[in-house]
Amino acid sequence: MSDAAQPTAAEVRAAADAVRTALDRHLQAVERRTGDDDPAVSDAFNALAAAAEVYDELLYDRYDEVTPFEIPAAQDSLPPYAGPEEPHAVSVLIRRDYAVAEPARLLAQAQRLADVDPDGDGLPAAGVHAALGAVFGEYEADEIASRHQEFGLEEGDSTLWVSAVEELPEPGEWLAAPFDEADPAMVVCRFDVSAVFDEEDELEGDPDGLVAERS
């Protein structure tokens, strides 16, 4: 980071003051908690986590120094479950991110598909955009996930939500906007994979970086 972009000493000190204030408010909320799911405690926890993260970043940017504590994730990534105890149906929402790390490999895979297509003319896919359409149109998402390196792709973060629904929607009902009606309060469980979990999960015996919430 350039000197011009560095935070000032006053900004770092203000961030430290914000952590102290958030810490006092968190302790007050804990002392006054009304139950295991007291929203005031959750809000204070998240405020403390956010203030500590800001301080940690400014301290590093200004002084190239780190804090001795790990910044916890916010507790409100999912609200309390509000769905039925015995769901009659579920929706599975999946997001997987990939970087096109080797465009030539991706184009070669698309070309092979074009060469074996009995209804096609064998012409190569015209660019990465068309190659992505050809590959993802041919293979199931799970197969691409397991063979992503063959397609020149590099894995990013991914998440899978299993969400309870009262009953299956009518065919075609949500196809125009498949993710718009996702309700976090109806999530039965979720599984996240991210490089940010790797170090922590390896220490805890989970080398795949898999995190499950609300199982």
Side-chain angles (χ1 to χ4, degrees), residues 2-180:
S2 67
D3 292 341
Q6 285 184 347
T8 66
E11 288 174 327
V12 178
R13 184 162 293 281
D17 290 340
V19 172
R20 283 189 283 271
T21 299
L23 187 62
D24 288 341
R25 290 176 178 171
H26 180 259
L27 178 57
Q28 291 173 3
V30 171
E31 291 173 337
R32 300 169 182 171
R33 72 187 312 157
T34 58
D36 292 339
D37 296 324
D38 189 338
V41 174
S42 178
D43 291 344
F45 175 95
N46 294 334
L48 176 57
E53 184 172 8
V54 170
Y55 172 63
D56 189 79
E57 291 177 355
L58 293 179
L59 185 72
Y60 182 81
D61 291 344
R62 176 69 185 183
Y63 299 110
D64 197 24
E65 187 57 72
V66 296
T67 57
F69 47 84
E70 183 175 341
I71 305 301
Q75 285 184 334
D76 65 352
S77 57
L78 285 177
Y81 179 64
E85 292 186 7
E86 298 183 5
H88 297 295
V90 296
S91 289
V92 179
L93 309 178
I94 300 174
R95 172 173 173 168
R96 296 188 179 110
D97 288 351
Y98 299 97
V100 182
E102 299 180 71
R105 185 182 292 271
L106 175 67
L107 291 167
Q109 287 283 359
Q111 180 61 68
R112 279 192 280 273
L113 292 174
D115 290 342
V116 300
D117 184 359
D119 299 323
D121 51 18
L123 294 177
V128 170
H129 177 274
L132 286 168
V135 167
F136 278 86
E138 176 68 19
Y139 298 101
E140 295 287 343
D142 287 343
E143 184 171 3
I144 290 177
S146 64
R147 298 174 54 191
H148 62 277
Q149 292 179 330
E150 296 178 36
F151 304 121
L153 303 176
E154 180 180 306
E155 285 184 313
D157 288 356
S158 66
T159 188
L160 181 152
W161 292 22
V162 179
S163 182
V165 294
E166 295 295 340
E167 58 184 15
L168 286 180
E170 293 295 324
E173 182 176 334
W174 50 257
L175 291 179
F179 303 109
D180 282 2

Side-chain angles (χ1 to χ4, degrees), residues 183-207:
D183 184 355
M186 298 292 282
V187 173
V188 177
C189 58
R190 65 177 284 182
F191 303 93
D192 300 329
V193 177
S194 174
V196 301
F197 303 138
D198 287 350
E199 182 177 350
E200 176 183 350
D201 292 330
E202 287 175 2
L203 291 175
E204 295 178 357
D206 181 7

